[in-house]
Structures are given as structure tokens and as C-alpha cells.
Amino acid sequence: MASLDRVKVLVLGDSGVGKSSLVHLLCQNQVLGNPSWTVGCSVDVRVHDYKEGTPEEKTYYIELWDVGGSVGSASSVKSTRAVFYNSVNGIIFVHDLTNKKSSQNLRRWSLEALNRDLVPTGVLVTNGDYDREQFADNQIPLLVIGTKLDQIHETKRHEVLTRTAFLAEDFNPEEINLDCTNPRYLAAGSSNAVKLSRFFDKVIEKRYFLREGNQVGFPDRKRFGAGTLKSLHYD
């Protein structure tokens, strides 16, 4: 396989929501048997066929940056974590459907990743909602994934799935809800798989095909050679 162009996608959310299990499922198509806490950042790579089945089809590497820590961390920790936010082409926000706080905290994760130059009190208004004008120019493709769907009774799912309505209103992201211990939720041809592919296509288009694509930095186009699918760990 020839060396491939790549894009960088952040995976953000509270500790314990299943980010590592999700990334492993996306990159290895396998369930992670013994997940552990991520310290710093862990990077895994997924091979994606852009516009699969069309004359424009091309293969890319998707770097998935699983960022550890808590959104409530001290400022020194946030400052250290900010280094992972450079040259971002897309963001996957992950929350635990059984944990309302993890859903609410996506507001703070989006603030930290998308608007790092502003202090939180300058962006959040008194009722806890966004001042949407602060994010009006965001063009980074976003995907929201809710985990542990299997633990939500069907009679409660509608109520639970409305928790992230604020993100839909602000950013209009794709949304996927799944169980990271069951690969069938991302089976080829499923609605979730279609949404995922559409998101990665959008990330690639913003990076390589749209002149006004919104990304920070990226002064060069580094490439991975064949046979370099592996996890990198930053402690």
C-alpha cells in the first residue's frame, strides 16, 4: 500500500465514558477486553475509504486521539492537554448515556477544544447554555457518540437521548448511540456505519478539498508509510 494522507480527529469526553473502548472498536473492529484509564493521550489509526464505491474513492488514515483527563481538571492540566488540540480536523464527543453529568459536560469539552482563548465565564450565560455567537464560525466537523445504550431501558431512551439536544442546536453534528461491547452497532450498511463514514468523509473534505477548511496549523502534510497501524502513547 502506498503511503497515505491522514487527518487528525480528537476523541473527547469524561473519564469512564468508554472512549478507549470506542477507539479500539473503530480502529480494530474488535471489543476491547480489558480497558484501562488513558493517561495523557493515546492515538490509534483507522483506515478509511473516502467516497467508497465512487470514482473519487481514495484511502486515508484517520488518527483518533483519545484524550484522557477530566474537564474539571486544574488549569495546569488543561494547559498541558491543550497541546493535543493543535492541527485538529474533526472532533468526536463521547458521553455515557447512563451518566447525565457526562452528557452535560460535553458543553465544557466543546468550549475547551473549540474556543480555548476564551475563559468559560465569558462564554456560558447564566442559564448554563451557550452564547452561540461565540461558536458561530466553527467549521470543524463534529460527531456525538453516546455509549452504553444497552443499559438504557427502551422506555427511557427518548428522555435520555434528548440530553445532547443543545449540541444539535449549536453545531448540527451527526449523532450515534451504541454499545462498545457489541460490534453489530457499527456493522457495515447499518445507519450508524453510514453516519460514521459520512463524518470521516466530511473531515477529509475539510482538510484536503475545501480551501477554507477550518483547521489549526498543519504546516506540513505528514504521511504514514504502509504497515504503520499502531497505537502511540503520550504519558
Side-chain angles (χ1 to χ4, degrees), residues 80-97:
T80 301
R81 194 160 60 209
V83 69
F84 304 129
Y85 298 159
N86 293 327
S87 306
V88 173
N89 305 115
I91 302 176
I92 298 176
F93 292 112
V94 185
H95 64 115
D96 176 353
L97 294 170

Side-chain angles (χ1 to χ4, degrees), residues 101-122:
K101 186 66 174 178
S102 74
S103 304
Q104 295 173 335
N105 279 344
L106 293 186
R107 285 189 170 98
R108 302 176 69 182
W109 280 108
S110 60
L111 170 62
E112 182 176 311
L114 295 172
N115 216 6
R116 301 191 304 279
D117 293 334
L118 296 178
V119 294
T121 53

